[in-house]
């Protein structure tokens, strides 16, 4: 779940780097829904849509980052991209996995050690989603013996996206050559999105494929692609009047929250219904930077932005902090006393803040010191500016 980069699209046709505080607030909303869903608080029986919000955001942010790099240097340094992603995301995840291994050894019965160990190895290798899909794990069903790293399935999907998506963007750009690059990117990403959505709906309709539909990148790729297409058509979206953008942002936030309240464990999680939170997130991204009173102003509120900054670490810590007390007591998470569940959520926030300050921020600073790529040769500079010309 990538951090909020300085990415936006403006009316000049360029991918600019003005800070989007509203996107930090959107991340705060997403992580709040997920944590509340897992803790069975606030009545958000469909709070799992927070993960879908994160995926659309990642598609938008990462595609913007890749296009900015191409605009700047005329090429995509895939190795440097992977190193930066790793430095930002892996240290905090590694800390949590070590803590889970120690806690599992201390509090879980011996018969569960081997299974937890295999889960941790899968999480380390960024293939936890494959492991849980292969086991036909029902993520939405409550259970007493749940893996303490079950939530790493979503990080596996995202890390696989980071591995594959730059290659897709590079391939589309190479395919464009002298053609209209905007059109090539939009058509290519659009075809991928439609194919992924169709595969998701088809797999979700088959009982034996539902876990694969839920956990796997091919059936999730359309969500990332929706965010990516916002970047590609950004110059046109920048011409939408500010008042209409405020309406889009308000409607988007309302639709996300409504999905979290109305959806439940019986909703076909990878079906057509998921268009609602995904398109709602897209609406917030398009309209959230509009100035004035509205959803964007709420999302830019300082406490929301703070939770958004801490959201990755909060997400990492919240699940094991809920699972282990339930395992010790031999109950489901929802059977823990409500005050205890609230306290565990607050502990997740505290652990997330410490992890952000002591781990994430330290490694992000080292990532920021990586040297920039060299400038492009004139021909490539011209081809990149044809898609997103530099602002004047």
């Amino acid at each position: 779940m990538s951090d909020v980069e300085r990415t936006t699209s403006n009316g000049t046709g360029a991918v600019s780097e003005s800070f989007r505080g509203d996107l930090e607030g959107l991340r705060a909303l997403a992580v709040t829904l997920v944590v509340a869903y897992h803790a069975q608080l606030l009545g958000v029986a469909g709070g799992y849509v927070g993960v879908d919000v994160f995926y659309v955001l990642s598609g938008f942010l990462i595609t913007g980052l890749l296009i900015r790099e191409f605009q700047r240097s005329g090429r995509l340094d895939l190795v440097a991209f992977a190193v930066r992603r790793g430095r930002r995301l892996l240290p905090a995840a590694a800390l949590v996995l070590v803590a889970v291994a120690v806690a599992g050894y201390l509090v879980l019965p011996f018969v569960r050690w081997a299974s937890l160990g295999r889960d941790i190895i899968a999480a380390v290798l960024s293939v936890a989603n494959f492991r849980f899909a292969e086991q036909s794990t029902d993520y939405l069903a409550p259970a007493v013996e749940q893996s303490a790293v079950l939530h790493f399935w979503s990080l596996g999907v995202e890390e696989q996206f980071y591995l594959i998506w730059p290659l897709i963007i590079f391939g589309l750009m190479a395919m464009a050559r002298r053609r209209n690059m905007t059109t090539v990117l939009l058509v290519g990403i659009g075809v991928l999105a439609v194919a992924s959505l169709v595969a998701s709906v088809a797999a979700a309709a088959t009982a034996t494929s539902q876990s694969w539909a839920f956990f796997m990148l091919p059936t999730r790729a359309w969500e990332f692609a929706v965010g990516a297409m916002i970047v590609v058509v950004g110059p046109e979206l920048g011409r939408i009047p500010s008042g209409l953008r405020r309406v889009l942002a308000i409607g988007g936030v309302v639709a996300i929250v409504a999905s979290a309240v109305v959806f439940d464990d019986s909703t076909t999680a990878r079906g057509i219904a998921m268009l609602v939170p995904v398109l709602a997130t897209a609406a917030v991204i398009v309209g959230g930077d509009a100035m004035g009173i509205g959803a964007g102003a709420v999302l830019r509120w300082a406490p929301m932005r703070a939770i958004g900054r801490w959201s990755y670490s909060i997400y990492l810590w919240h699940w094991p902090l809920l699972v282990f007390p339930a395992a010790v007591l031999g109950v489901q998470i929802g059977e823990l006393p409500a005050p205890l569940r609230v306290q565990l959520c607050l502990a997740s926030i505290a652990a997330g803040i410490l992890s952000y300050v002591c781990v994430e921020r330290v490694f992000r600073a080292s990532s920021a010191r990586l040297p920039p790529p060299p400038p492009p040769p004139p021909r490539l500079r011209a081809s990149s500016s044809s898609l997103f010309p530099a602002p004047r």
Side-chain angles (χ1 to χ4, degrees), residues 35 313-314 317-319 321-322 343-353:
V35 173
S313 283
I314 292 173
W317 284 106
H318 86 281
W319 182 248
L321 285 174
L322 289 168
Q343 292 168 11
L344 293 172
C345 290
L346 295 176
S348 301
I349 296 173
I353 295 171

Side-chain angles (χ1 to χ4, degrees), residues 124-143:
V124 169
L125 297 176
S126 300
V127 293
N129 56 324
F130 280 87
R131 174 164 172 78
F132 296 125
E134 190 274 332
Q135 293 178 323
S136 298
T137 302
D138 189 346
Y139 173 81
L140 303 178

Side-chain angles (χ1 to χ4, degrees), residues 268-290:
T268 304
R270 298 273 49 81
I272 291 294
M274 298 313 296
L275 280 168
V276 176
V278 169
L279 296 181
T281 303
V284 177
I285 294 173
V286 170
D289 62 343

Side-chain angles (χ1 to χ4, degrees), residues 26-276:
L26 186 56
R27 285 169 56 83
L29 174 61
V31 78
T32 299
L33 293 178
V34 172
V35 173
Y37 167 68
H38 285 153
Q40 298 186 32
L41 297 170
L42 304 181
V44 285
Y48 51 78
V49 301
V51 172
D52 303 275
V53 173
F54 278 123
Y55 286 164
V56 179
L57 267 172
S58 289
F60 173 75
L61 296 169
I62 296 303
T63 304
L65 185 153
L66 292 170
I67 290 177
R68 285 204 314 276
E69 179 176 340
F70 188 80
Q71 177 185 350
R72 235 182 354 246
S73 68
R75 64 190 181 93
L76 297 180
D77 190 335
L78 302 182
V79 173
F81 173 82
V83 169
R84 287 194 297 267
R85 292 294 97 194
R87 287 187 177 183
R88 289 173 182 249
L89 301 178
L90 298 183
L95 175 63
V96 171
L97 290 174
V98 169
V100 166
V102 172
Y105 174 78
L106 293 176
V107 306
L108 294 181
F110 172 78
V111 294
R112 292 186 59 186
W113 288 359
S115 177
L116 178 61
R118 287 190 287 270
D119 292 347
I120 291 173
I121 291 172
V124 169
L125 297 176
S126 300
V127 293
N129 56 324
F130 280 87
R131 174 164 172 78
F132 296 125
E134 190 274 332
Q135 293 178 323
S136 298
T137 302
D138 189 346
Y139 173 81
L140 303 178
V144 174
E145 296 187 358
Q146 290 179 306
S147 172
V149 296
L150 176 59
H151 63 317
F152 270 77
W153 76 267
S154 65
L155 302 181
V157 171
E158 185 133 3
E159 286 152 8
Q160 291 153 27
F161 165 75
Y162 294 152
L163 179 66
I164 295 171
W165 195 248
L167 300 176
I168 293 174
I169 296 298
F170 179 81
L172 290 173
M173 287 178 168
M175 186 186 305
R177 295 188 181 180
R178 295 184 182 277
R179 302 182 185 91
N180 186 310
M181 195 173 289
T182 300
T183 300
V184 172
L185 282 172
L186 190 59
V187 171
I189 295 172
V191 168
L192 184 150
V194 171
S196 172
L197 177 59
V198 170
S200 174
V201 173
T206 306
T208 56
S209 302
Q210 287 182 355
S211 61
W212 292 93
F214 187 90
F215 286 117
M216 303 306 293
L217 177 61
T219 50
R220 293 276 186 171
W222 68 277
E223 301 178 7
F224 295 99
V226 167
M229 285 190 286
I230 298 173
V231 177
V232 177
V233 300
E236 297 302 320
L237 296 176
R239 299 186 179 97
I240 298 175
S242 178
L244 180 55
R245 299 214 316 276
R246 283 198 295 272
V247 171
L248 283 173
I250 293 170
V253 169
V254 169
I256 291 169
V257 174
S259 299
V261 173
V262 174
F263 289 6
D264 57 27
D265 295 349
S266 66
T267 305
T268 304
R270 298 273 49 81
I272 291 294
M274 298 313 296
L275 280 168
V276 176

Side-chain angles (χ1 to χ4, degrees), residues 347-366:
S348 301
I349 296 173
I353 295 171
L354 288 174
S355 184
Y356 173 80
V357 172
C358 299
V359 181
E360 276 194 74
R361 199 160 62 180
V362 172
F363 281 89
R364 287 184 184 189
S366 66

